[in-house]
């Protein structure tokens, strides 16, 4: 027994032995995959780098050296001209207001709908889910005219509220379909224990269900914000005045009128892209935690 204890005491910890085994398993193929992924990431960043280069050039420098050469200096004339021409601060506020409102409202509506479908098990649940799945496959071109006519009739045309309502419904269709499958697999003992303790349906939702599915809700919040920010067709049809335009609509209108040179177009694209990149980087940890939690639960 003494020899056994001595052998156990002299043996390396399990985590160290596991790490050494994993290190031995890593062969040339693992490093080849890592190098390939790094190279792929570099290739994907090339368009972004080209846009940054051209946004920092003058029109004369762009004409003489071409689009692929790095800039000679740090010129912000294209950025300044585009900012002043479209009142980019106001346009940016419109996009942030619409995207943020849609993200929050769509998540709330998805939670309520999924709670009724996934946990409440209402009658006709499968038909409702099939209808939501069908709604997710409909192209926006098929929805533009009915929504345009209805917004005209109720006096919401050319208002930010109309776009918020439309995208809240569209995004919540996907959110409801996703969350209903998550809540359908919710642990029933937790719900029964909460009901035994005297919790009502509203308390069960906010004190039991929402804390458990919070990682999934954070993922939906990020996705809904980015998706709404990048939308172009419906905002272009519904927001015709300059006061209500979003970033994507302002970019499309100016490029369609051919009022910008190549450097200003690159500056406009850079300004339209940076807010979504910044938002994604800020919530990157939340997004990764939500995806990891969903993978572990599944």
């Amino acid at each position: 027994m003494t020899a056994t204890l001595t052998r156990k005491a002299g043996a390396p910890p399990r985590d160290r032995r596991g790490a050494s085994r994993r290190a031995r398993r890593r062969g040339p193929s693992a490093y080849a995959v890592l190098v390939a992924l790094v190279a792929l990431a570099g290739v994907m960043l090339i368009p972004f780098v080209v846009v940054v280069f051209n946004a920092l050039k003058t029109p004369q420098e762009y004409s003489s050296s071409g689009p692929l050469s790095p800039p000679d200096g740090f010129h912000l004339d294209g950025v300044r001209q585009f900012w002043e021409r479209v009142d980019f601060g106001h346009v940016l506020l419109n996009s942030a207001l619409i995207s943020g409102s849609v993200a929050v409202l769509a998540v709330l509506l998805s939670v309520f709908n999924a709670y009724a479908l996934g946990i409440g098990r209402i009658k006709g649940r499968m038909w409702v889910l099939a209808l939501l799945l069908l709604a997710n496959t409909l192209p926006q071109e098929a929805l533009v005219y009915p929504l345009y006519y209805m917004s005209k009739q109720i006096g919401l045309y050319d208002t930010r509220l109309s776009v918020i309502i439309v995208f809240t419904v569209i995004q919540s269709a996907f959110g409801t379909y996703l969350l209903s499958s998550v809540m359908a697999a919710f642990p029933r003992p937790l719900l029964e224990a909460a009901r035994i303790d005297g919790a009502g349906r509203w308390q069960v939702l906010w004190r039991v269900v929402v804390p458990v599915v919070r990682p999934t809700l954070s993922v939906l919040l990020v996705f809904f914000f980015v998706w709404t920010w990048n939308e172009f067709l419906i905002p272009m049809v519904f927001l015709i005045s300059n006061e209500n335009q979003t970033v994507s609509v302002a970019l499309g209108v100016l490029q369609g009128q051919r009022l910008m040179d190549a450097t200003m177009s690159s500056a406009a694209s850079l300004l339209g892209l940076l807010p979504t990149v910044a938002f994604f980087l800020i919530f990157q940890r939340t997004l990764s935690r939500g995806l990891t939690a969903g993978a572990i639960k599944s």
Side-chain angles (χ1 to χ4, degrees):
M1 182 174 181
T2 306
T4 304
L5 292 176
T6 304
R7 186 167 57 252
K8 288 184 177 180
R14 289 186 177 180
D15 54 350
R16 292 183 181 177
R17 285 182 293 180
S20 62
R21 291 196 197 100
R22 289 192 297 269
R24 285 196 298 269
R25 288 174 190 168
R26 292 180 182 175
S29 59
Y31 291 103
V33 171
L34 179 61
V35 171
L37 291 176
V38 172
L40 180 62
V43 171
M44 295 178 65
L45 286 176
I46 289 177
F48 179 76
V49 174
V50 172
V51 169
V52 174
F53 281 175
N54 294 326
L56 300 179
K57 293 178 182 178
T58 60
Q60 296 77 15
E61 185 180 354
Y62 178 86
S63 302
S64 60
S65 60
L68 299 180
S69 62
D72 294 336
F74 196 75
H75 304 285
L76 295 177
D77 294 338
V79 176
R80 189 180 305 108
Q81 291 176 9
F82 173 75
W83 190 290
E84 296 175 353
R85 180 170 295 181
V86 301
D87 191 9
F88 189 76
H90 185 72
V91 171
L92 188 66
L93 180 61
N94 288 338
S95 289
L97 177 62
I98 292 174
S99 301
S101 301
V102 168
V104 174
L105 293 176
V107 168
L108 288 176
L109 186 59
S110 301
V111 168
F112 294 147
N113 294 337
Y115 183 67
L117 294 172
I119 294 179
R121 301 297 181 113
I122 62 174
K123 294 182 179 180
R125 171 177 175 270
M126 296 305 300
W127 289 103
V128 175
L129 291 178
L131 182 62
L132 292 175
L133 181 61
L134 178 63
N136 288 321
T137 61
L138 288 177
Q140 291 188 2
E141 290 80 3
L143 302 174
V144 167
Y145 181 73
L147 294 175
Y148 167 81
Y149 181 79
M150 183 171 59
S151 64
K152 280 279 192 179
Q153 293 297 317
I154 61 178
L156 289 178
Y157 184 67
D158 195 21
T159 61
R160 290 171 293 190
L161 180 59
S162 62
V163 177
I164 291 174
I165 294 174
V166 169
F167 280 123
T168 297
V169 175
I170 292 176
Q171 308 290 20
S172 64
F174 173 79
T176 301
Y177 182 79
L178 177 64
L179 284 177
S180 60
S181 61
V182 174
M183 292 188 182
F186 197 87
R188 295 292 167 177
L190 290 179
L191 301 176
E192 295 175 359
R195 294 190 181 102
I196 292 174
D197 291 339
R201 294 181 179 179
W202 189 259
Q203 293 174 324
V204 169
L205 173 62
W206 292 110
R207 296 185 180 181
V208 179
V209 177
V210 171
V212 174
V213 300
R214 186 176 298 170
T216 306
L217 299 183
S218 64
V219 173
L220 287 178
L221 185 71
V222 175
F223 281 169
F224 288 166
F225 184 91
V226 176
W227 291 346
T228 307
W229 184 282
N230 294 327
E231 288 291 344
F232 175 73
L233 179 61
I234 290 180
M236 182 186 66
V237 174
F238 279 72
L239 305 176
I240 58 174
S241 62
N242 295 332
E243 296 180 357
N244 297 323
Q245 286 181 352
T246 60
V247 172
S248 59
V249 175
L251 292 175
V253 169
L254 281 183
Q255 290 178 353
Q257 295 175 350
R258 297 182 180 180
L259 297 176
M260 297 189 296
D261 51 34
T263 58
M264 192 184 300
S265 298
S266 299
S269 301
L270 183 62
L271 288 176
L273 180 64
L274 284 180
T276 54
V277 173
F279 182 84
F280 181 81
L281 291 177
I282 292 172
F283 291 95
Q284 181 182 9
R285 182 172 298 180
T286 302
L287 184 62
S288 61
R289 287 177 179 174
L291 293 176
T292 304
I296 293 174
K297 288 178 183 178
S298 60

